[in-house]
Amino acid sequence: KARGNVVYGQYTTLELKGLESIAPLVRSVEETPEPIATEVCGTIPTWIRGSLLRNGPGKFEFGNQHYNHWFDGMAMLHQFKIEDGKVTYRSRFLQSDAYKKNSERNRIMVSEFGTVAMPDPCKNFFLRFLSRFEMIEATDNASVSFVKYKGDCFVSTETNYMYRVDPESLETQNKVDWTKFIAVNMATAHPHTEPDGTTYNMGNSYGRKGALYNIIKVPPMKNNPEETLEGAKVLCSIVPADKARPSYYHSFAMSENYVVFIEQPIKMDLMKIVTAKLRGKGISEGVYWDPKQDTVFHLVDKHTGQTSSVKFHTKALSVFHQINAYEEDGFLMLDMCCSDNGEAINNYLIQNLRKSGEALDQVYNTMYRAFPRRFVLPLNVTNDTPTGVNLNTRPASSATSFKTVVCQFEDLHGEDLYEYGGLEFPQINYSKFNTRPYRYFYGCGFRHLVGDSLLKIDLEGKKVKVWYQKGLFPSEPVFVPSPDAVEEDDGVILSVVVTPTEDKSTFLLVLNAKTWEELGRAEVPVNIPYGFHGTFNPTA
């Protein structure tokens, strides 16, 4: 790859030339519903007992109609089952209503984020005309993540629908609609879970007076085996800065005592979204970046549901994933992967991902990269707090906070991270260190439109360790602690690695999380598209 430098916002990043085509990573594949053996090279520790479950798009067209956006592809569920140092693989398409309707007619019948379903040509002209005036119905194509509520496994997207699935067979069980339990129209695919199983999420509601952001709390236990979201409640509602143009959000942060909502300047024009079908456009046409707006942090007390009267402002940033948040010495540390531009969501068109040569280079080099940053939010701001004074008194932190409160971030990385294209898909030792002070986080480096390296960052010294092999594209790293773990990074990293240059050459990579050295890999003789999120489901 040839290199140059490009200055974006506050940082310099690499300009790359000669990027290899990744088109095969966004192609439709066949499912593998029965487990198949893999070939293990190296050693996979025998203490790892359970399944890496992954979610992401696996089918990008029906008949001669194709999807426009990466987020639109039909959900494909993957399982890498690990036992006694051996690995089996299986996959299934989620049997959503969207998938079944599309398959039955061999055309796109259900609209997705970037693709509008065109009127059925079998209807007469008048019915086709009338169908233009219908609202786009929310999709149940739950292609983003695996999540747990009350101990059960669900797959989720960013609408009001989820599906309960069997983590052993990957079979689709029952469809769950948030609106049947609480007054929200959608929920994120990134809930946070307390050690006792209590789960928090966020979702918007839309009424005659506009939009509201809602904090959701789901109890940890079921009263009977059939239960799903019974007992869920809205903890509190936050009024958007502009009710007709609320912020888009993919996730939120949580500390021991607070839920932190990041109201960012990626906006949703509700009028454009409501009229999308009439105009023959996807919902994505109503999502836009407004760099003139601040990013605002809202703190909600998890115990009382009260929203802090203090609003924390920073410059326009876009955020998809948080790393961690914790409280210490009267401050809340908020760590997340941020970009200085929020137009990336509209750049992940399938036609962009399938480009090659200079056209591909141009797509990559005009996109802003995400970098890990820390904001330090003072929790004891009162009317008597002086103005014009930096409220961050922590000697080890260069982040600043001034009363209104205006915050300036601290980089959680050294100069070398620019070389790896920033960091996204962040993960930590969640079960032991979420909401607590921590030292390590893991993610993918992005010297391409998808992750092309695995990174470990040590916050003591902000040092980075890298796993990289040319032509290989690893997925989000999932940390699995060892059973006798003493230190935070005692365990392994699991990542599914795909390559566009060789057919049926996917493998599950196992890294020693401490040394960042490869322990082993399980080679799978199938093609897998590049996916989104995963989780480790230990064997009971």
Side-chain angles (χ1 to χ4, degrees), residues 505-537:
S505 53
T506 304
F507 62 90
L508 174 67
L509 174 69
V510 184
L511 293 181
N512 180 322
K514 186 177 286 293
T515 65
W516 218 237
E517 292 168 351
E518 180 175 336
L519 295 172
R521 57 178 69 179
E523 297 174 346
V524 192
V526 297
N527 291 319
I528 298 179
Y530 196 90
F532 297 139
H533 296 290
T535 188
F536 184 73
N537 190 49

Side-chain angles (χ1 to χ4, degrees), residues 134-136 269-279:
E134 297 168 357
M135 278 271 292
I136 288 181
D269 186 323
L270 296 185
M271 183 55 70
K272 278 191 174 180
I273 289 171
V274 166
T275 60
K277 191 169 184 181
L278 177 63
R279 296 179 295 111

Side-chain angles (χ1 to χ4, degrees), residues 449-465:
L449 297 180
V450 298
D452 77 328
S453 61
L454 291 170
L455 307 176
K456 173 186 181 180
I457 291 194
D458 181 350
L459 289 171
E460 288 188 13
K462 299 178 181 177
K463 301 182 289 290
V464 63
K465 286 183 176 177

Side-chain angles (χ1 to χ4, degrees), residues 193-221:
T193 305
E194 301 272 30
D196 73 347
T198 301
T199 307
Y200 292 85
N201 206 339
M202 284 198 62
N204 284 2
S205 55
Y206 304 106
R208 282 174 297 180
K209 296 182 179 178
L212 290 172
Y213 310 120
N214 303 288
I215 313 294
I216 303 163
K217 184 176 182 179
V218 181
M221 305 292 286

Side-chain angles (χ1 to χ4, degrees), residues 35-51:
I36 59 171
T38 66
E39 186 174 331
V40 173
C41 302
T43 304
I44 294 178
T46 53
W47 60 258
I48 308 174
R49 296 176 62 83
S51 296

Side-chain angles (χ1 to χ4, degrees), residues 65 67 98 101-102 105-111 117-118 120:
Q65 297 183 347
Y67 290 112
K101 286 177 185 174
N102 296 340
R105 300 296 294 272
N106 200 29
R107 63 188 298 271
I108 295 172
M109 299 291 293
V110 179
S111 295
M118 300 312 291
D120 188 344

Side-chain angles (χ1 to χ4, degrees), residues 49-67:
R49 296 176 62 83
S51 296
L52 176 66
L53 304 174
R54 294 268 307 155
N55 198 350
K59 187 170 177 62
F60 298 93
E61 68 286 308
F62 285 91
N64 60 4
Q65 297 183 347
H66 60 84
Y67 290 112

